[in-house]
Amino acid sequence: MTDTPIIINDPSGSRDNEVRPFQIEGMDVRGRAVRLGTVVDQILSAHNYPDPVARILGEFLTLTALLGSIMKYNGIVTLQAKTGGPVPMVVADYEIKDGGVGHLRGYAQIDEAKYATYGKNPSFHGLIGSKSGYLALTIDQGADMERYQGIVEINGESLSDVARSYFMNSEQTPTEMSMICDRDAVTGNWRAGGLMVQHLSRGEEGQERLLDRETEEQWNRASVLMHSVKSEELLDAKLDLDQILYRLFNEDGVRVFDALHLDASCRCSREKLLGVLSQFGESDINEMCVDGSITVDCQFCSRAYNFDPSELKS
């Protein structure tokens, strides 16, 4: 790829690439629904990942969009997994500025030798779900606010299992979620979707949240209804998020709030890289040259930036 960004526009009337917050009436339950179309396809198509790895990164992007959209201020939410498995690292992050569009990007690393030992359709657990790894959630809202990081052991059969464990152990918040990323059966393009519900009642600070019998029954009902969503519904471009939420929760009543829109946007730039490379000495610059130029590839978007050594030396 070149250093010229590629912009993919959604079809007219598309309801893809948005997060829809909601609340179930009469219950202390809030939630968020997300649908990714061209955004996830653009991010995944920038890399030549095997489909099982692309699906995992797509789910990371889905979860990052759900979590990032909770932020009330400008900032960056980063979700990073490190393991000793065939996929030693997965990173996805979400940035928002001035209440505008949420910007998503992500990438995965693959240990080719380890990956080759697995079959054609290795599982999440097989690729990164080992106890030797961890999942880190980092929230950075600028110099004026304290940076937050929570870490949980990767132990589960899916990313939803790991995230559920994180919320119970780190946030003491009962949370259920469902996420899916797969290719469209007709177009072959990548699509992703997800649902998350959380219980709102709080116990004392620092303690696990306690549910009385009535609220526990409500929470169990909300969880069962959320998990009744079908994978094809989360991916169906003809079925928008409002319709999905109505199907699931209309008997109890569901209130939806303004949607937050998403795009695929990397923060790399020629100017940033020029500033970094310009700090190297002349001998280092000469060593980096290949056929008279220096090429830097962005891990997130795979753009290739080419520099003439004279630009850096000056």
Side-chain angles (χ1 to χ4, degrees), residues 57 60-61 64 77-80 90-94 105-107:
L57 178 55
F60 267 78
L61 291 163
T64 304
V77 171
T78 303
L79 203 63
Q80 177 175 307
V90 183
V91 181
D93 72 26
Y94 166 104
R105 65 177 188 169
Y107 76 92

Side-chain angles (χ1 to χ4, degrees), residues 182-254:
D182 209 344
R183 290 186 182 275
D184 185 276
V186 177
T187 66
N189 296 335
W190 288 103
R191 298 183 60 78
L195 271 174
M196 177 175 73
V197 291
Q198 293 184 307
H199 200 275
L200 290 172
S201 62
R202 295 178 177 270
E204 295 182 15
E205 187 175 355
Q207 296 183 3
E208 184 174 348
R209 301 183 182 188
L210 302 177
L211 309 180
D212 59 31
R213 173 177 290 184
E214 181 180 359
T215 55
E216 184 174 11
E217 289 177 354
Q218 292 177 349
W219 171 241
N220 289 339
R221 173 175 170 77
S223 301
V224 170
L225 289 173
M226 190 224 69
H227 281 296
S228 69
V229 69
K230 299 177 181 178
S231 296
E232 52 266 30
E233 291 177 311
L234 290 174
L235 299 178
D236 189 352
K238 298 179 181 178
L239 189 66
D240 65 44
L241 296 178
D242 291 350
Q243 292 171 309
I244 292 176
L245 295 175
Y246 180 81
R247 285 185 179 185
L248 295 175
F249 305 116
N250 72 88
E251 290 187 9
D252 299 283
V254 57

Side-chain angles (χ1 to χ4, degrees), residues 23-35:
Q23 185 164 338
I24 303 176
E25 301 287 15
M27 297 186 188
D28 294 323
V29 176
R30 65 184 176 188
R32 288 176 183 265
V34 62
R35 166 74 57 68

Side-chain angles (χ1 to χ4, degrees), residues 128-189:
I128 69 172
S130 63
K131 290 186 178 181
S132 61
Y134 68 84
L135 178 73
L137 170 66
T138 305
I139 303 174
D140 188 347
Q141 294 186 288
D144 296 332
M145 298 187 71
E146 185 176 354
R147 186 169 177 264
Y148 168 84
Q149 186 173 72
I151 297 176
V152 67
E153 183 182 74
I154 293 179
N155 187 12
E157 297 300 322
S158 68
L159 181 58
S160 296
D161 290 342
V162 181
R164 187 182 304 113
S165 177
Y166 167 81
F167 278 105
M168 286 304 300
N169 295 329
S170 299
E171 306 292 331
Q172 289 80 49
T173 305
T175 303
E176 290 293 334
M177 61 187 65
S178 178
M179 294 172 292
I180 181 72
C181 176
D182 209 344
R183 290 186 182 275
D184 185 276
V186 177
T187 66
N189 296 335

Side-chain angles (χ1 to χ4, degrees), residues 73-90:
Y73 309 101
N74 293 346
I76 299 172
V77 171
T78 303
L79 203 63
Q80 177 175 307
K82 284 192 174 182
T83 78
V87 182
M89 180 181 291
V90 183

